[in-house]
Amino acid sequence: AASSFPAASWKDGRAGCGKERAAERYLQRNKRKMLYENKIIIIFVADKINSTIDMLDVKQTLKDAGERMEMAAMYLGDELQRIRAGRANVAILDGVRVDSYGSKVPLNQVATVMVPDARTIAIKPWDRKAIRDIEKAIMDSDVGITPENNGEIIRLGIPQPTEERRKELVKQCNKIAEKTKIEVRNVRGELKEKFKKAIKDGLSEDLEKDAEDELQKIHDKFIKKLDDLIVAKTKEIMTV
């Protein structure tokens, strides 16, 4: 809460320092730093003045950084799912778009997609007349598997990759992962610059360091998450 300057302070001012200089010294002695709901706030206690300056919402800034890094991790997960590893996974068909009444729609909007066994994907069109359109969509995509049908159900046999092909797939996964890590590091770098700029705007170095330490923890958590995704995918690919 605001408080009045002691009489001695004003006396000092009258003794030659001047009111302004006495007030300045008093402010320096009584300036307090507070962390309220993780918002950096500086409160100046002065004569009949209570100034509160909300300089930087650290909590929200760190939360935003975490969300951006989480999106990067989700992107990597989606990309890895689309890479064939010798086991049936309907995610490889996520990019397939089928002609339906003049529009391109996702496969799962015109058919039921199933995995009857570890080496087969089965597709049952809701309308049997759509079989040819679905087969064409698969052939035109980058799935790389020739579909077969019995008039009712389309089947995709998942080929077993060679040892050399498995190693190539692992390299492909690592390349995608490295690009994702760069995005996470860029988020960290962007916020570090933001925190340093806040110092020039009045943020204390101690609070800036605390914010940067927390940012590093968030960064490390998501880098580990990306590493875990790669380890799991590599194991899947290399398992015969």
Side-chain angles (χ1 to χ4, degrees), residues 96-101 103 105-107 109-112 123-138 147 149 151-154:
V96 175
R97 295 293 182 269
V98 182
D99 280 321
S100 178
Y101 300 102
S103 300
V105 300
L107 176 58
Q109 290 187 14
V110 295
T112 300
I123 304 164
K124 186 173 184 179
W126 298 342
D127 181 352
R128 289 175 59 182
K129 295 178 182 179
I131 283 184
R132 288 188 178 180
D133 289 332
I134 292 174
E135 284 191 324
K136 182 177 185 304
I138 294 172
N149 79 82
E152 294 184 357
I153 295 177
I154 299 170

Side-chain angles (χ1 to χ4, degrees), residues 74-162:
M74 289 173 64
Y75 164 79
L76 177 60
D78 290 343
E79 289 297 305
L80 295 181
Q81 277 193 330
R82 293 192 179 98
I83 295 177
R84 291 206 319 269
R87 292 179 179 273
N89 186 339
V90 298
I92 68 171
L93 299 172
D94 284 350
V96 175
R97 295 293 182 269
V98 182
D99 280 321
S100 178
Y101 300 102
S103 300
K104 293 281 190 180
V105 300
L107 176 58
N108 61 10
Q109 290 187 14
V110 295
T112 300
V113 184
M114 305 164 285
V115 180
D117 59 65
R119 306 295 183 211
T120 308
I121 295 176
I123 304 164
K124 186 173 184 179
W126 298 342
D127 181 352
R128 289 175 59 182
K129 295 178 182 179
I131 283 184
R132 288 188 178 180
D133 289 332
I134 292 174
E135 284 191 324
K136 182 177 185 304
I138 294 172
M139 292 293 291
D140 291 344
S141 72
D142 60 358
V143 172
I145 301 175
T146 301
E148 299 178 356
N149 79 82
N150 60 7
E152 294 184 357
I153 295 177
I154 299 170
R155 295 184 183 276
L156 299 178
I158 308 300
Q160 285 298 292
T162 63

Side-chain angles (χ1 to χ4, degrees), residues 8-219:
S9 294
W10 295 116
K11 183 177 180 181
D12 290 342
R14 290 194 298 269
C17 296
K19 253 187 183 182
E20 292 78 6
R21 292 180 61 188
E24 182 180 354
R25 290 204 308 274
Y26 182 82
L27 287 174
Q28 289 301 321
R29 289 197 301 269
N30 290 275
K31 185 168 63 175
R32 301 200 307 265
K33 299 184 182 76
M34 295 178 63
L35 187 63
Y36 177 67
E37 294 180 348
N38 285 338
K39 291 183 179 180
I40 308 307
I41 299 174
I42 293 183
I43 296 180
F44 294 96
V45 181
D47 185 28
K48 298 180 181 179
I49 296 175
N50 186 12
S51 297
T52 302
I53 305 174
D54 187 354
M55 296 190 307
L56 181 64
D57 190 334
V58 173
K59 181 178 180 180
Q60 186 60 47
T61 302
L62 292 172
K63 180 181 178 182
D64 292 344
E67 289 176 353
R68 290 172 63 185
M69 293 180 188
E70 178 66 36
M71 288 179 66
M74 289 173 64
Y75 164 79
L76 177 60
D78 290 343
E79 289 297 305
L80 295 181
Q81 277 193 330
R82 293 192 179 98
I83 295 177
R84 291 206 319 269
R87 292 179 179 273
N89 186 339
V90 298
I92 68 171
L93 299 172
D94 284 350
V96 175
R97 295 293 182 269
V98 182
D99 280 321
S100 178
Y101 300 102
S103 300
K104 293 281 190 180
V105 300
L107 176 58
N108 61 10
Q109 290 187 14
V110 295
T112 300
V113 184
M114 305 164 285
V115 180
D117 59 65
R119 306 295 183 211
T120 308
I121 295 176
I123 304 164
K124 186 173 184 179
W126 298 342
D127 181 352
R128 289 175 59 182
K129 295 178 182 179
I131 283 184
R132 288 188 178 180
D133 289 332
I134 292 174
E135 284 191 324
K136 182 177 185 304
I138 294 172
M139 292 293 291
D140 291 344
S141 72
D142 60 358
V143 172
I145 301 175
T146 301
E148 299 178 356
N149 79 82
N150 60 7
E152 294 184 357
I153 295 177
I154 299 170
R155 295 184 183 276
L156 299 178
I158 308 300
Q160 285 298 292
T162 63
E163 182 73 14
E164 182 179 355
R165 177 56 180 164
R166 291 177 190 274
K167 291 179 180 179
E168 290 176 357
L169 290 174
V170 170
K171 289 180 181 179
Q172 182 181 343
C173 292
N174 285 328
K175 185 178 293 186
I176 298 172
E178 187 53 38
K179 289 182 179 179
T180 310
K181 287 182 179 180
I182 290 174
E183 175 61 25
V184 171
R185 294 182 189 119
N186 286 344
V187 173
R188 178 188 59 180
E190 179 183 321
L191 262 70
K192 285 176 70 174
E193 288 300 315
K194 188 172 185 179
F195 290 142
K196 291 186 184 304
K197 182 179 182 297
I199 293 179
K200 297 178 181 179
D201 296 334
L203 177 64
S204 76
E205 292 186 3
D206 287 342
L207 291 172
E208 186 275 337
K209 186 179 185 305
D210 289 343
E212 196 169 313
D213 288 345
E214 185 61 29
L215 174 63
Q216 185 64 44
K217 291 177 183 177
I218 296 172
H219 166 274

